[in-house]
Each structure stands twice: as structure tokens, then as C-alpha cells.
């Protein structure tokens, strides 16, 4: 498995298992299966509401000697309710307890959006707190504190623009090491990729397969299907693999981390295998031409009237 080296020499595996939308009741089995077929990297979050079951699976796999904690790479994310510097540790502790771990490999600020502490999902503008009241720099100080305390090895962000990364890094004593954003052939974010390369920020691709299992409220009516793009299908045929495998391979071939989600044994195996597919320069160029700057996860659920948040200032575009 390809890995990326962080500033202290730690190695982050290029492919991890996404767990957003992995339902309680099926995610235990998915994690145990994933570990048994060779996955080492798991991408979790407080808000996915399945960390207790993931924790049981990790703990059982470690207890039976199938895998060591040190071989695993576990990421989780701070929820928007806990952006105050003094609240970061509280949210992290809930995650650590649920996952049955005493440290995370990576902890990310999930969104550049703050909620009132008692509002898990915002319903109206009043549920949100302006970044003028809780600046991202304050949240980042909380992240630095939990890293210093040894509760997490690495810290980073998700859904951050280049502008927000630069803003936080300006006053940071520990710079952002990872940014996790939506990336696939229809949303390639080449400028962000270039910026992150220069800043030595590892970019992780979420929704690499288009997250077709999102709840209906999060889906547009006529969304494109990544598996049906003729160029992707043709490359798949050429490699005798599936379109999903081409998407995973593309992400790794362009030096990003990728975290496809699956709870199905055959697809878990397929996605892991895709990490070793080498695409040609010609194939990479053909996929490069597919970019449409199309988001499946639009962030519209945060752009609520009566708040400071708009899609323009969320993505800085
Ligand atoms: P399942 O969990 O039943 O395998 P994303 O990673 O972009 O969020 O996409 C996840 C969605 O893609 C899920 O619906 C998942 O279904 C499906 N999926 C995962 N791997 C594959 C694959 N290799 N082929 C087809 N669909 C896949």
C-alpha cells in the first residue's frame, strides 16, 4: 500500500475505509471484514453516529491479535458544536471512548462552520454561530492542545479552502497537515491540490465514488453518475476492472488519500485492490479533462438565511 509521509516521519496509508453512511447494525461486520482483507486505515467522525460500533470492531480485532493498534491509522473529526477552544477535548473524548482508543492518528476540524453547542444539525440561521464569534484560529488552538496532550498524533481540517488554510496557518504553532475535501473526476479542485502540495498539506478525497447512498434530502434530482462516465467506463474496460476501481486508482495516482465507503465484502476487496492499479499518463490526461467543478455535497445545509454562512463564503469561490 502506498503511503504519504508526514512531517514527523509517520506514514499515512493512501487508501482508507470511509464510514460515513455505514449504518449501525452493519458497520461492525464491515470493519471486521475490512481488517481481515487488509485495510489498515479507517476514516471516522463523531457526527456519523456509528463510532461505538466501529470501536467494538477495532477492539475485537486487536484483542484477537488480528491487527496491532500501531499498524492502524484511525482518523476522526471534531463536530461543529465543539469549536470553542475549551470544548475540543470534550468532543474528542467522546470519540476516543466510543472507538475504545487512547489516541487517534489524525483529528480533523470537520467543517469551517460553528453551531450552538446544543444543536447537532442546524435547522435555521439561529442554530449557527458566526466565525466572527468563534474564529477558526480559536478552534485550531484547541486542536493544538489535544495534540500536545498526546491524544492525537496529527491534526488537520476538512472542507477548508486554500484561503482558510492560509488564514489558520498564519497564527498556528502546528501547521495543518491534512485537508479532507470532496474529490472525484467531476470535482478535481486542481488549484487546491497545487496549493496543498506547496504547503505540504496532504489532501484526502471524500465521496470519491459520488456517495450514491446519501439520504434523499442531500441529493439533487439529476445528479451525474460517476460510474456511467464513458471515459471512466472505457478505462475500466481497458484494465478489466470496475468504474469504481478506476475512480479509486485515479485518486491515488494523483497523490491524494482516498476513502471509499463500503459495507459489502466484495466491494471492500475490490476497492482495496484498486490501490494498486496504475493508470497511464494518457488515461490520467483523459480523466483530467472531465472536470466540471460539480459537488455532490454542496454544503447548502449550512447556508441558512439569518446566519453569516453562504455557499460563497463556505467554499471561498
Ligand atoms: P456499498 O456500501 O453497498 O458497497 P462514497 O465512497 O463516494 O461515499 O460512495 C459510497 C457508495 O458507493 C455506497 O453506496 C457504496 O455501497 C458504493 N460502493 C462502494 N464501493 C463500490 C464499488 N466498488 N462498486 C460499486 N459501488 C460501490
Amino acid at each position: 500500500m502506498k503511503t504519504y509521509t508526514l512531517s514527523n516521519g509517520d506514514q499515512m496509508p493512501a487508501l482508507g475505509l470511509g464510514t460515513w453512511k455505514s449504518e449501525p447494525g452493519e458497520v461492525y461486520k464491515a470493519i471486521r471484514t475490512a481488517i481481515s482483507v487488509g485495510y489498515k486505515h479507517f476514516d471516522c467522525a463523531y457526527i456519523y453516529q456509528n463510532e461505538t460500533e466501529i470501536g467494538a470492531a477495532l477492539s475485537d480485532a486487536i484483542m484477537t491479535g488480528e491487527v496491532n493498534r500501531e499498524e492502524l491509522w484511525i482518523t476522526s473529526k471534531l463536530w461543529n458544536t465543539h469549536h470553542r477552544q475549551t470544548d475540543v477535548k470534550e468532543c474528542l473524548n467522546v470519540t476516543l471512548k466510543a472507538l475504545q482508543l487512547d489516541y487517534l492518528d489524525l483529528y480533523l476540524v470537520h467543517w469551517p462552520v460553528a453551531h450552538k453547542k446544543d444543536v447537532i444539525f442546524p435547522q435555521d440561521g439561529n442554530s449557527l454561530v458566526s466565525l466572527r464569534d468563534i474564529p477558526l484560529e480559536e478552534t485550531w488552538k484547541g486542536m493544538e492542545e489535544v495534540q500536545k496532550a498526546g491524544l492525537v498524533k496529527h491534526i488537520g481540517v476538512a472542507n477548508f479552502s486554500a484561503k482558510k488554510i492560509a488564514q489558520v496557518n498564519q497564527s498556528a504553532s502546528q501547521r495543518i497537515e491534512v485537508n479532507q475535501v470532496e474529490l472525484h473526476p467531476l470535482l478535481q479542485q486542481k488549484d487546491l491540490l497545487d496549493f496543498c502540495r506547496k504547503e505540504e498539506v496532504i489532501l484526502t478525497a471524500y465521496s470519491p465514488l459520488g456517495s450514491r447512498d446519501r439520504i434523499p434530502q442531500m441529493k439533487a434530482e439529476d445528479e451525474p453518475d460517476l460510474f456511467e462516465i464513458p471515459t471512466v467506463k472505457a478505462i475500466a474496460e481497458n484494465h478489466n476492472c470496475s468504474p469504481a476501481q478506476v475512480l479509486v486508482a485515479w485518486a491515488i495516482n494523483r497523490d491524494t488519500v482516498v476513502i471509499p465507503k463500503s459495507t459489502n465484502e466484495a466491494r471492500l476487496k475490490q476497492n482495496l485492490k484498486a490501490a494498486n492499479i496504475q493508470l497511464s499518463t494518457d488515461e490520467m490526461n483523459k480523466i483530467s479533462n472531465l472536470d466540471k467543478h460539480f459537488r455532490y455535497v454542496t454544503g447548502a445545509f449550512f447556508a441558512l438565511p439569518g446566519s453569516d454562512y453562504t455557499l460563497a463564503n463556505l467554499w471561498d469561490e
Side-chain angles (χ1 to χ4, degrees):
M1 168 70 61
K2 178 171 167 181
T3 59
Y4 303 107
T5 307
L6 290 116
S7 57
N8 72 342
D10 284 354
Q11 305 281 315
M12 181 173 184
L15 182 121
L17 179 64
T19 64
W20 176 37
K21 309 173 265 72
S22 295
E23 300 294 332
E26 60 179 19
V27 70
Y28 176 91
K29 191 163 165 273
I31 302 289
R32 291 298 304 268
T33 304
I35 290 174
S36 76
V37 303
Y39 280 78
K40 298 282 191 282
H41 170 180
F42 296 89
D43 184 83
C44 312
Y46 171 87
I47 198 58
Y48 301 162
Q49 300 180 334
N50 54 11
E51 288 191 321
T52 302
E53 205 169 310
I54 294 173
L58 294 176
S59 164
D60 288 353
I62 292 169
M63 224 142 57
T64 55
E66 231 176 291
V67 73
N68 297 323
R69 171 66 186 96
E70 299 70 43
E71 294 173 81
L72 292 172
W73 180 282
I74 312 291
T75 300
S76 187
K77 312 185 193 83
L78 175 78
W79 190 233
N80 305 349
T81 45
H82 286 67
H83 270 213
R84 291 246 177 247
Q85 183 177 348
T86 46
D87 285 341
V88 171
K89 194 171 171 186
E90 184 180 68
C91 192
L92 172 62
N93 277 335
V94 173
T95 281
L96 287 172
K97 193 162 174 234
L99 292 174
Q100 302 188 38
L101 299 175
D102 48 19
Y103 73 91
L104 294 178
D105 297 276
L106 176 64
Y107 199 43
L108 306 177
V109 179
H110 204 149
W111 285 92
V113 173
H115 299 180
K116 286 190 173 155
K117 204 173 171 185
D118 56 349
V119 179
I120 297 275
F121 294 108
Q123 304 299 333
D124 53 43
N126 200 34
S127 318
L128 295 164
V129 181
S130 166
L131 293 181
R132 279 177 288 131
D133 294 333
I134 313 181
L136 296 170
E137 290 87 337
E138 167 175 345
T139 308
W140 192 249
K141 284 204 176 84
M143 298 291 283
E144 290 175 339
E145 279 172 7
V146 294
Q147 185 189 33
K148 225 175 181 174
L151 298 173
V152 305
K153 292 200 166 176
H154 302 277
I155 50 177
V157 296
N159 298 299
F160 271 45
S161 63
K163 182 178 168 190
K164 290 189 179 78
I165 292 174
Q167 177 197 322
V168 167
N169 271 346
Q170 207 169 27
S171 61
S173 36
Q174 290 296 322
R175 291 166 70 81
I176 291 169
E177 289 194 273
V178 173
N179 184 26
Q180 183 179 124
V181 296
E182 180 180 336
L183 291 172
H184 44 70
L186 300 183
L187 182 71
Q188 303 195 12
Q189 309 218 54
K190 290 172 192 166
D191 291 348
L192 183 61
L193 185 63
D194 286 347
F195 172 85
C196 286
R197 249 182 219 143
K198 266 195 251 127
E199 292 291 307
E200 296 185 344
V201 175
I202 293 170
L203 209 49
T204 297
Y206 78 66
S207 297
L209 309 178
S211 281
R212 54 193 51 232
D213 52 349
R214 271 165 298 131
I215 52 170
Q217 299 95 293
M218 281 189 73
K219 280 179 121 166
E221 254 170 35
D222 49 355
E223 283 184 351
D225 183 342
L226 296 177
F227 299 164
E228 291 299 326
I229 299 172
T231 305
V232 173
K233 281 171 84 173
I235 295 173
E237 268 169 41
N238 207 23
H239 286 265
N240 202 13
C241 72
S242 71
Q245 287 180 300
V246 171
L247 299 170
V248 170
W250 172 77
I252 296 180
N253 277 250
R254 76 198 288 247
D255 295 334
T256 63
V257 174
V258 65
I259 48 166
K261 172 265 173 187
S262 183
T263 47
N264 170 281
E265 180 166 357
R267 291 190 284 274
L268 281 165
K269 285 183 182 160
Q270 207 189 93
N271 297 344
L272 185 65
K273 223 171 139 193
N276 296 322
I277 297 174
Q278 193 66 47
L279 300 181
S280 69
T281 308
D282 180 50
E283 289 167 332
M284 290 301 282
N285 288 341
K286 282 186 176 139
I287 297 177
S288 180
N289 291 332
L290 298 174
D291 197 11
K292 291 203 160 35
H293 206 69
F294 173 83
R295 291 183 193 278
Y296 291 102
V297 180
T298 63
F301 35 85
F302 296 129
L304 296 171
S307 78
D308 274 1
Y309 298 92
T310 62
L311 290 183
N313 67 26
L314 178 64
W315 303 119
D316 293 314
E317 60 189 31

